[in-house]
Amino acid sequence: MSQDINQVSQQRRRFIGAAAGAAAGAVAGAASAAGVVVAALSSSVAGNAEAAPRTEPVSDRHRWGMLIDTAKCADGCTACVDACDRENGLNLQSEPLGNDEEKWQNQRPVWIRKVKLQDNATGVVTNLPLMCQHCEHPPCVDVCPTGASFKRADGIVMVDRHTCIGCRYCIMACPYKARSFVHEPVEHKLTRAPRGMGCVESCNLCMHRLDEGQTTTACSDACAAGGHHAILFGDLKDPDSPLRQAMAAQPSRQIREELELNTGVRYAGL
Amino acid sequence: MSNLQPKPGGRAGVAPLVPLVLRFLGLSFLGLSWAGAAQASGVGDFVVESSRAAKLNNCVEPTEYMRRYHMEVIRHQRDTTVYGGIRSTKHSLAGCVDCHVGYDAQHEPVAINAKRQFCKRCHNYAAVTLNCFDCHATLPEGEGWNQVRLQVHDKRHMDASSQGHRTEHAKATLSGPSTAAAAAPEGRER
């Protein structure tokens, strides 16, 4: 009985989603039907041209995800965090003058956090990088009042900063504390990663790389370059991808799997 | 107007104010005529001489179209990019910046939203707030992430990898998109 109470009802979630989407669905019906045809036509083309920049809209033929082997994640190593900061220009933002150092450290945007877990019974310590888990049913998307927080067709959960009003409801809703809010004006921005004050942001699986046909992320590259190979990025929908093969070879878990969010980021050795 | 003219028989208390009023009117008139002159000659002269755009006949669409509708074009591209992941060059804001950014005497790019630069000058003139660059890069930081410059990027990427690690933002971003990310671990190994 208690198990039933704790279980999140997918049916309830679907019902609420259907009720909210009923009005929009009627309008978008024709458009989505056209979209299916376009995706079907483009699939053969896109399959050959993986290395080229994208010319067709993203489709649900791929779902990008990661497998993180916590056994390989080294204590004290921050290669993935640093690489993420550089890739997305987070390191270009410096502490505002006159700001309290502790406040800055608490509030500065971070897309990957290194988390250290200790099992008190056994003393076993586990290190892992925690970022946006790119849920199939993202709570941040459910709560967003403007639709700015959305899931792209290829499974990437991200923020459309053009419509984000900075209410930070998604930060509250995320079970993984994955999202950050930009409190201060951003002087230096990168072309590939626009970001500015007043918007929420989080890991987007280096979508600018994916859009250019690359299938790597800055964190997985940095982890591999550091010799750890703890982060494996790939396509969850391709049964032959190295990611799926690695997942088949060893048990892996979702963090907070009881929420049934079907995360795109999985952890082995946890 | 007639009551503002100096009156010979006016009272002594009012007389000192009259020249002041006249002077104010004269200044206003000068101001209006200056604005009129600016309107006649000003529109369309905002392309910065040192930018690549100055060497081209027109923008990605005919100039008249771009003047009136550039925002529509950018907004359409914006949704295509954010939701569809298509970062094409033709209507991308990165393309605007890349082509319209001016260069100073040292051939260093000047922020496109800086005073007297392309975007800012015209938006100032039209009194329209410009907030693209609250988030978007104001300099072509060597990383278009688009079709045209991908090969250039790859070349730079390889060159920079052999040179080693540079993290400081100005130089790192100028030298290529994933240069900083890819080169850093190599720096660590050394």
Side-chain angles (χ1 to χ4, degrees), chain B residues 2-121:
Chain B
S2 62
N3 61 346
L4 292 175
Q5 296 297 324
K7 293 177 191 166
R11 288 197 313 198
V14 176
L17 288 176
V18 170
L20 272 179
V21 171
L22 279 178
R23 191 175 300 168
F24 173 74
L25 283 174
L27 280 175
S28 311
F29 177 73
L30 269 177
L32 283 173
S33 60
W34 176 81
Q39 188 154 23
S41 66
V43 184
D45 290 343
F46 297 120
V47 172
V48 179
E49 271 306 306
S50 55
S51 67
R52 271 206 301 131
K55 299 171 186 68
L56 301 172
N57 287 332
N58 59 277
C59 198
V60 290
E61 304 292 346
T63 306
E64 293 304 323
Y65 180 88
M66 288 307 287
R67 274 187 198 152
R68 189 165 286 273
Y69 296 112
H70 66 281
M71 197 54 223
E72 303 295 325
V73 170
I74 294 170
R75 191 181 294 132
H76 185 264
Q77 174 68 42
R78 162 192 119 177
D79 290 343
T80 311
T81 302
V82 174
Y83 294 92
I86 300 173
R87 294 161 190 267
S88 73
T89 39
K90 194 177 178 195
H91 291 156
S92 80
L93 187 64
C96 304
V97 174
D98 189 37
C99 199
H100 277 285
V101 77
Y103 291 84
D104 64 14
Q106 284 77 43
H107 303 288
E108 291 290 327
V110 184
I112 196 161
N113 63 341
K115 208 175 171 183
R116 304 184 62 76
Q117 293 299 306
F118 179 67
C119 291
K120 189 72 167 186
R121 247 180 106 197

Side-chain angles (χ1 to χ4, degrees), chain A residues 143-224:
Chain A
V143 299
C144 181
T146 65
S149 183
F150 73 104
K151 190 177 66 162
R152 216 167 75 157
D154 55 359
I156 299 177
V157 178
M158 50 186 275
V159 180
D160 180 359
R161 291 166 207 264
H162 304 107
T163 40
C164 176
I165 56 171
C167 74
R168 289 165 267 180
Y169 203 169
C170 55
I171 295 184
M172 294 291 111
C174 177
Y176 306 102
K177 202 179 168 184
R179 289 211 160 160
S180 297
F181 183 73
V182 185
H183 288 265
E184 306 287 344
V186 180
E187 286 297 323
H188 300 286
K189 287 89 63 172
L190 299 180
T191 302
R192 62 174 175 263
R195 54 191 297 269
M197 184 174 76
C199 287
V200 170
E201 59 184 18
S202 61
C203 161
N204 54 25
L205 290 180
C206 289
M207 57 161 185
H208 50 271
R209 292 189 177 204
L210 292 170
D211 292 344
E212 291 300 329
Q214 300 182 34
T215 48
T216 58
T217 62
C219 56
S220 63
D221 278 358
C223 191

Side-chain angles (χ1 to χ4, degrees), chain A residues 61 132 196:
Chain A
R61 285 194 312 116
C132 173

Side-chain angles (χ1 to χ4, degrees), chain A:
Chain A
M1 188 61 197
S2 65
Q3 206 177 4
D4 289 344
I5 291 170
N6 288 332
Q7 287 284 328
V8 175
S9 165
Q10 287 297 316
Q11 197 178 350
R12 178 174 173 273
R13 193 176 270 155
R14 275 194 296 274
F15 175 76
I16 294 172
V27 179
S32 62
V36 168
V37 176
V38 170
L41 286 174
S42 66
S43 61
S44 59
V45 181
N48 304 333
E50 283 301 353
R54 193 191 306 287
T55 52
E56 297 290 334
V58 289
S59 72
D60 58 1
R61 285 194 312 116
H62 302 287
R63 186 187 171 202
W64 302 108
M66 290 202 271
L67 177 67
I68 295 166
D69 191 341
T70 56
K72 294 176 182 170
C73 182
D75 191 7
C77 172
T78 57
C80 55
V81 181
D82 298 341
C84 178
D85 285 359
R86 282 192 301 272
E87 181 79 8
N88 297 294
L90 307 188
N91 61 334
L92 305 184
Q93 206 178 358
S94 51
E95 183 180 343
L97 282 177
N99 208 338
D100 179 16
E101 172 67 20
E102 190 186 349
K103 185 180 167 193
W104 168 245
Q105 288 306 328
N106 285 335
Q107 290 195 336
R108 65 184 291 263
V110 180
W111 292 11
I112 306 180
R113 289 183 297 132
K114 274 298 291 279
V115 175
K116 187 190 276 191
L117 307 168
Q118 183 172 2
D119 186 334
N120 284 337
T122 61
V124 172
V125 173
T126 311
N127 286 282
L128 57 90
L130 189 68
M131 69 290 279
C132 173
Q133 305 286 296
H134 298 280
C135 313
E136 188 190 352
H137 310 290
C140 54
V141 174
D142 289 347
V143 299
C144 181
T146 65
S149 183
F150 73 104
K151 190 177 66 162
R152 216 167 75 157
D154 55 359
I156 299 177
V157 178
M158 50 186 275
V159 180
D160 180 359
R161 291 166 207 264
H162 304 107
T163 40
C164 176
I165 56 171
C167 74
R168 289 165 267 180
Y169 203 169
C170 55
I171 295 184
M172 294 291 111
C174 177
Y176 306 102
K177 202 179 168 184
R179 289 211 160 160
S180 297
F181 183 73
V182 185
H183 288 265
E184 306 287 344
V186 180
E187 286 297 323
H188 300 286
K189 287 89 63 172
L190 299 180
T191 302
R192 62 174 175 263
R195 54 191 297 269
M197 184 174 76
C199 287
V200 170
E201 59 184 18
S202 61
C203 161
N204 54 25
L205 290 180
C206 289
M207 57 161 185
H208 50 271
R209 292 189 177 204
L210 292 170
D211 292 344
E212 291 300 329
Q214 300 182 34
T215 48
T216 58
T217 62
C219 56
S220 63
D221 278 358
C223 191
H228 302 299
H229 298 277
I231 303 177
L232 184 60
F233 174 80
D235 185 1
L236 288 165
K237 283 194 170 174
D238 177 7
D240 301 325
S241 69
L243 176 66
R244 282 284 297 276
Q245 286 171 357
M247 281 179 156
Q250 59 188 326
S252 61
R253 291 178 65 184
Q254 311 172 46
I255 296 180
R256 297 296 305 274
E257 58 198 359
E258 79 278 11
L259 297 174
E260 295 189 16
L261 302 173
N262 188 11
T263 60
V265 180
R266 308 286 175 120
Y267 291 83
L270 196 63

